[in-house]
Structures are given as structure tokens and as C-alpha cells.
């Protein structure tokens, strides 16, 4: 059974890198958004430092929506999703594998580019450390929660707009706590409480989201 999950993982990774244009779109969108903000509000170092964490997180959330629909789309249209559900394998485990692939191909590049973004937005070292911690804890939460909405809308022809309407309000608490943690770091204040809340949300999502995704996929197949 582990070999089957490894096969699904390798297949999804290969498929993601085969569609390189779709793979690059969220990252390019994120970089464009972060580049446009300084041009619109001015290049003042203190201004950039103040808005930087919020800009990065808003750009991460919006760029994630571009790639979110891809989690189950190809499997739905080629019939693989139906075969998975008829195979007798736990759909929740398959969903967990697909969420992991989505996080690796969508958010790991963001982590690699984050030092450049921090330098571009004049973030201090303390702010960058806090930003990285919030990204490490928060971006898997984006993938897990987003996959639930994708499971509900996977059969719709134009589910992207509905997906954004469903997910953006849900992501607001994460945005508030993540930016609050970085702001606290900028003021040399402790931010463990914010990280603990984000971590608690992540643990809850890791426990419940795979089963919610499996149920959403079953509903969309009926």
C-alpha cells in the first residue's frame, strides 16, 4: 500500500513539472504583486518594512488560489479520481498525498525566494525569522483548508471564482495572526502566542482536513 501512495506522489510531482507554465504562474504572480506594491506606495524603507509582512502574506494567499484548483482537476477529468475512490484505498490518505504535493510545488519555492523578498521589502533579521516561521506553519494550512473547497468545486466548469469566494474569508484569521507575529518581531516583542495559535490551527487541519476532503470528493462525485 505504501508503494501505491509513493506512486501517486511521484505521478503528481511529474505531472506538475510537466505543466511548467502552470507551475510558474503562482510564483510569477506573487513576485509581480510584491514588486508592484513599492512602486505604488513609494520606496521608503520604513514604509516597506511596515507593510512588507502583510504584502507577502496577501500575495501568498492570492497566488495559492491560482494553483489550488489544480489539486484534483486533472485526476477528475481523466477519471483517475473515480478509480482512486473505487480502489478501496482510504481517500483521506490519497488526499493527504495530493495536499503534500501541492504544498511542495506551490509554497516551497516561496520559502526559497523569501530571503530575496525580505531584502526587497527591507525586513530586519528578526522580522524575517518570524516571517519564515509563520510561512512554515501557515502555508500547509492554506493547502489543507483549500483542498476541502477544491473537493467541493472540482466538478464545476468555472469553479475558480467560487473557490476564491469560499477561501478568502477563511484565510483571514491566519493572515491576522501571521502579520501580527511579524509586527511583534519588528517591535522586539514575543510572538510565541501567535505562532502557537497558527500551530494549533495547523494541527486541527492535519487531523480533520483529510477526512473532510474525502467527504467533499465523494459529494462532488455523486
Amino acid at each position: 500500500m505504501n508503494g501505491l501512495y509513493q506512486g501517486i506522489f511521484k505521478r503528481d510531482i511529474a505531472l506538475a513539472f510537466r505543466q511548467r507554465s502552470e507551475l510558474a504562474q503562482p510564483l510569477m504572480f506573487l513576485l509581480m504583486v510584491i514588486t508592484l506594491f513599492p512602486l505604488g506606495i513609494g520606496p521608503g524603507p520604513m514604509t516597506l518594512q511596515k507593510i512588507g509582512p502583510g504584502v507577502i502574506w496577501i500575495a501568498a494567499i492570492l497566488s495559492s488560489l491560482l494553483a489550488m484548483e489544480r489539486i484534483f482537476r486533472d485526476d477528475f477529468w481523466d477519471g483517475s479520481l473515480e478509480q482512486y475512490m473505487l480502489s478501496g484505498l482510504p481517500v483521506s490518505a490519497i488526499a493527504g498525498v495530493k495536499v503534500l504535493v501541492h504544498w511542495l510545488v506551490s509554497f516551497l519555492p516561496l520559502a526559497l525566494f523569501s530571503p530575496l523578498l525580505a531584502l526587497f521589502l527591507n525586513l530586519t533579521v528578526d522580522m524575517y525569522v518570524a516571517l519564515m516561521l509563520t510561512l512554515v506553519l501557515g502555508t500547509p494550512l492554506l493547502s489543507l483548508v483549500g483542498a476541502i473547497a477544491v473537493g467541493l468545486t472540482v466538478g464545476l466548469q468555472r469553479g475558480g471564482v467560487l473557490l476564491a469566494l469560499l477561501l478568502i474569508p477563511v484565510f483571514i484569521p491566519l493572515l491576522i495572526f501571521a502579520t501580527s507575529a511579524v509586527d511583534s518581531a519588528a517591535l522586539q516583542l514575543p510572538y510565541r502566542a501567535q505562532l502557537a495559535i497558527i500551530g494549533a490551527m495547523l494541527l486541527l487541519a492535519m487531523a480533520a482536513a483529510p477526512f473532510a476532503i474525502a467527504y467533499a470528493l465523494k459529494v462532488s462525485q455523486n
Side-chain angles (χ1 to χ4, degrees):
M1 187 173 291
N2 290 335
L4 291 175
Y5 295 138
Q6 290 177 6
I8 295 172
F9 178 83
K10 292 178 181 178
R11 174 184 177 273
D12 286 1
I13 289 287
L15 185 62
F17 281 95
R18 198 177 303 135
Q19 300 171 339
R20 294 181 181 177
S21 59
E22 291 191 4
L23 184 65
Q25 282 176 7
L27 183 60
M28 295 302 298
F29 177 81
L30 182 141
L31 294 176
M32 287 174 60
V33 169
I34 293 175
T35 303
L36 289 174
F37 263 91
L39 296 177
I41 65 171
M46 297 308 297
T47 302
L48 293 179
Q49 188 178 101
K50 186 174 182 180
I51 68 165
V55 169
I56 292 176
W57 260 104
I58 290 173
I61 290 173
L62 295 178
S63 65
S64 72
L65 295 176
L66 294 177
M68 201 75 73
E69 196 176 5
R70 201 171 60 223
I71 297 178
F72 302 114
R73 183 195 61 194
D74 294 332
D75 292 320
F76 178 81
W77 291 115
D78 67 11
S80 299
L81 186 59
E82 186 175 1
Q83 293 299 316
Y84 291 149
M85 299 183 73
L86 295 174
S87 66
L89 294 173
V91 180
S92 58
I94 296 174
V97 172
K98 291 189 168 293
V99 169
L100 175 61
V101 171
H102 174 263
W103 183 82
L104 288 174
V105 300
S106 298
F107 291 116
L108 194 58
L110 171 60
L112 297 176
F113 275 94
S114 59
L116 178 62
L117 301 179
L119 181 64
F120 185 68
L121 294 172
N122 196 42
L123 301 186
T124 64
V125 175
D126 291 335
M127 294 176 70
Y128 172 68
V129 171
L131 176 66
M132 279 300 301
L133 291 173
T134 59
L135 288 174
V136 168
L137 292 174
T139 51
L141 185 60
L142 295 179
S143 295
L144 287 164
V145 176
I148 301 174
V150 174
L152 290 171
T153 61
V154 68
L156 302 180
Q157 290 287 346
R158 296 184 177 180
V161 176
L162 179 59
L163 196 64
L165 293 175
L166 288 173
L167 289 178
I168 288 178
V170 178
F171 291 156
I172 289 176
L174 173 61
L175 175 65
I176 292 172
F177 287 115
T179 54
S180 173
V182 184
D183 289 340
S184 296
L187 298 173
Q188 301 293 318
L189 297 174
Y191 50 89
R192 292 179 181 175
Q194 293 94 321
L195 293 180
I197 293 173
I198 298 173
M201 290 192 292
L202 175 59
L203 291 175
L204 178 62
M206 291 176 66
F211 301 101
I213 297 167
Y215 181 76
L217 290 173
K218 290 177 182 178
V219 169
S220 66
Q221 289 286 317
N222 296 330

